[in-house]
Amino acid sequence: MNALEVRGVSFAYGARQALTGLDFELSAGRFAALLGPNGAGKSTLIALLTRLYDLQQGDIRIFGHSLAGEPRQALRQLGVVFQQSTLDLDLSVQQNLAYHAALHGMPRREAQARIDEELERQDLGERRHEKVRTLNGGHRRRVEIARALLHQPRLLLLDEASAGLDPASRLALGRHVRNLCREQGLSVLWTTHLLDEIEPGDELLILHRGERVARGKAAAFGDDLATSFARLTGDEALGRGYVREAIRPKRADDSSDTVSVRAAHPTREARP
């Protein structure tokens, strides 16, 4: 069973089309990166996945449960880290997590056991009584991940989770989340507009103007992912500075990796 299935999803803000016939799936226990320039539709998709917006067209299933038909069962499988932090800076790490557990209706003893477990997993056990305000950006993100995993979801969404972090913290956060996939079997969808957050072994989906224009293993896009990204998303990606330099992911050993490409513009062929 797939962790996530998005089928024929379209969404519009009045006359402006944000998503058009979006289709993709995420296998259980895998890390997938959703890459696209700002305005590509990533935040709209996250809003639909979390039911902040109602579906207008199409279907979304989380571990087989339709968001439209079985919203409680679907959302129970989901943990979310939004781009903007929602932690209470004047509460301690422990208090933030306890409050979240209470919102989920978790009994106090069970909640404390889960808090202890997640703080150890995130290497934050010694910081539990510190106010969130005193933590650096990377540690705050780890608190948010711990909070998102308290109710033991099977799918974790991270929407531009590295925003505002320094390069070292961004790198550490990416490695940490990938380790959760490998060691805990967690499924992860990571949205970003930064190419240096993509690793060769990642499942990669490229979104542009509300459409999926390519998908496949990152390594299968070739030695120059930046050039592929620019070709698929058009000159505006270069003009806005999203592609500053080529990153060179190593090719995977598996030569069978392929890239599925959909033309970004009907009048030209787009190739990775």
Side-chain angles (χ1 to χ4, degrees), residues 82-142:
F82 291 103
Q83 181 176 356
Q84 298 297 325
S85 176
T86 57
L87 296 170
D88 190 320
L89 300 181
D90 293 316
L91 294 181
S92 69
V93 172
Q94 166 74 31
Q95 289 169 330
N96 268 277
L97 299 188
Y99 179 69
H100 185 75
L103 291 178
H104 275 274
M106 298 174 65
R108 184 171 299 181
R109 182 173 297 179
E110 176 187 347
Q112 190 57 56
R114 291 290 303 127
I115 289 170
D116 292 344
E117 181 179 346
E118 288 304 326
L119 288 181
E120 288 305 314
R121 180 186 292 180
Q122 309 299 331
D123 198 24
L124 289 169
E126 296 182 356
R127 315 295 292 271
R128 69 170 65 237
H129 298 303
E130 296 181 24
K131 287 188 176 181
V132 170
R133 186 180 300 280
T134 67
L135 303 180
N136 64 34
H139 283 132
R140 290 184 190 183
R141 282 303 191 197
R142 289 200 178 200

Side-chain angles (χ1 to χ4, degrees), residues 97-258:
L97 299 188
Y99 179 69
H100 185 75
L103 291 178
H104 275 274
M106 298 174 65
R108 184 171 299 181
R109 182 173 297 179
E110 176 187 347
Q112 190 57 56
R114 291 290 303 127
I115 289 170
D116 292 344
E117 181 179 346
E118 288 304 326
L119 288 181
E120 288 305 314
R121 180 186 292 180
Q122 309 299 331
D123 198 24
L124 289 169
E126 296 182 356
R127 315 295 292 271
R128 69 170 65 237
H129 298 303
E130 296 181 24
K131 287 188 176 181
V132 170
R133 186 180 300 280
T134 67
L135 303 180
N136 64 34
H139 283 132
R140 290 184 190 183
R141 282 303 191 197
R142 289 200 178 200
V143 174
E144 291 184 286
I145 293 172
R147 183 181 62 178
L149 296 177
L150 278 182
H151 62 290
Q152 298 181 300
R154 300 164 69 189
L155 172 62
L156 179 63
L157 305 181
L158 297 106
D159 183 23
E160 304 276 3
S162 65
L165 300 184
D166 61 77
S169 295
R170 288 199 294 114
L171 180 62
L173 180 64
R175 287 176 175 171
H176 178 68
V177 173
R178 288 176 177 86
N179 283 337
L180 291 177
C181 290
R182 287 190 289 266
E183 297 171 3
Q184 307 294 330
L186 187 66
S187 308
V188 171
L189 181 64
W190 173 289
T191 77
T192 184
H193 64 270
L194 300 172
L195 277 75
D196 62 358
E197 293 185 356
I198 309 301
E199 294 189 357
D202 293 344
E203 298 291 336
L204 178 61
L205 298 98
I206 297 180
L207 192 66
H208 180 53
R209 295 180 180 174
E211 297 185 19
R212 191 202 81 199
V213 295
R215 63 169 298 179
K217 278 289 186 72
F221 283 78
D223 289 333
D224 193 344
L225 179 57
T227 299
S228 297
F229 181 68
R231 185 181 299 118
L232 289 164
T233 58
D235 293 340
E236 68 269 26
L238 287 166
R240 294 176 186 174
Y242 297 125
V243 183
R244 296 193 182 278
E245 61 180 0
I247 63 172
R248 300 188 178 278
K250 296 178 181 178
R251 290 183 181 275
D253 292 335
D254 184 359
S255 60
S256 65
D257 286 344
T258 58

